[in-house]
Amino acid sequence: MLKYVDTLVTFSEVPDEISLCINISNCPCECPGCHSSYLKGDIGEELNVESLYKLIHANAGVTCVCFMGGDQNPKLICELAFAVHVLADKPRKVAWYSGRETLPEDFSIGFFDYIKLGPYIEELGPLTNPNTNQKMYEVTRDQNSNITLTDITYKFWKKDK
């Protein structure tokens, strides 16, 4: 079971998207200096297809659903990503923010449009820091359904004027 603590609609977590960010608790990553340490606890409400459906419809203007965490159960994250596509009254993209270095084995990436990988390392900073270890990938498919991950981390970096 996954639990979520809160949600937020942002313009900054996924480039060029209005994202419904769902903060998932019970994080197993143990990143020193984590900015969301409250998500380590097993707290919040169950995140399932029904609650996801309600969250999406309560935030009808979003273009992307972003799962923030869920590393303790990547299989359920994949099932919820699939549900976003099945339940959608209009097309929405799906993102997953993971603290893992790599995707889990047998991870079904087919229903994702963006994947953030990498633990938070305080001295390297978040995605907005050009020195970060974290990477944001755009997931694309060609006409033969071959999947490519393109590093788009640079889109988080501010350009000097």
Side-chain angles (χ1 to χ4, degrees):
M1 171 174 43
L2 292 175
K3 292 181 181 177
Y4 75 100
V5 178
D6 52 21
T7 63
L8 185 64
V9 174
T10 76
F11 299 96
S12 60
E13 299 299 336
V14 180
D16 307 317
E17 301 293 341
I18 304 167
S19 300
L20 170 61
C21 296
I22 303 171
N23 289 315
I24 300 170
S25 66
N26 207 16
C27 180
C29 293
E30 301 288 329
C31 301
C34 175
H35 57 77
S36 301
S37 59
Y38 70 101
L39 294 175
K40 291 179 185 179
D42 185 11
I43 57 175
E45 298 178 43
E46 183 176 356
L47 181 61
N48 55 34
V49 173
E50 183 179 342
S51 60
L52 177 62
Y53 181 79
K54 289 178 183 176
L55 290 170
I56 290 170
H57 288 302
N59 294 279
V62 300
T63 61
C64 182
V65 175
C66 184
F67 298 104
M68 307 292 284
D71 288 286
Q72 76 278 25
N73 197 331
K75 183 179 180 200
L76 270 177
I77 291 294
C78 290
E79 290 173 11
L80 293 172
F82 172 75
V84 170
H85 292 279
V86 171
L87 298 174
D89 55 341
K90 61 183 179 180
R92 287 187 182 83
K93 294 184 180 174
V94 180
W96 183 38
Y97 264 57
S98 170
R100 296 171 180 259
E101 293 279 351
T102 59
L103 289 173
E105 285 189 36
D106 300 326
F107 185 79
S108 300
I109 198 168
F111 289 103
F112 292 89
D113 299 283
Y114 302 96
I115 300 281
K116 191 284 298 179
L117 292 173
Y120 176 72
I121 299 175
E122 194 169 12
E123 58 270 13
L124 298 177
L127 285 170
T128 55
N129 185 333
N131 298 314
T132 188
N133 62 297
Q134 299 178 319
K135 300 289 182 198
M136 173 64 95
Y137 297 98
E138 183 172 17
V139 181
T140 56
R141 296 150 199 82
D142 66 16
Q143 65 272 15
N144 297 320
S145 297
N146 295 313
I147 294 175
T148 302
L149 296 178
T150 304
D151 185 346
I152 60 166
T153 311
Y154 70 91
K155 289 187 174 189
F156 290 90
W157 305 335
K158 293 188 183 199
K159 309 218 181 357
D160 291 334
K161 293 182 180 181

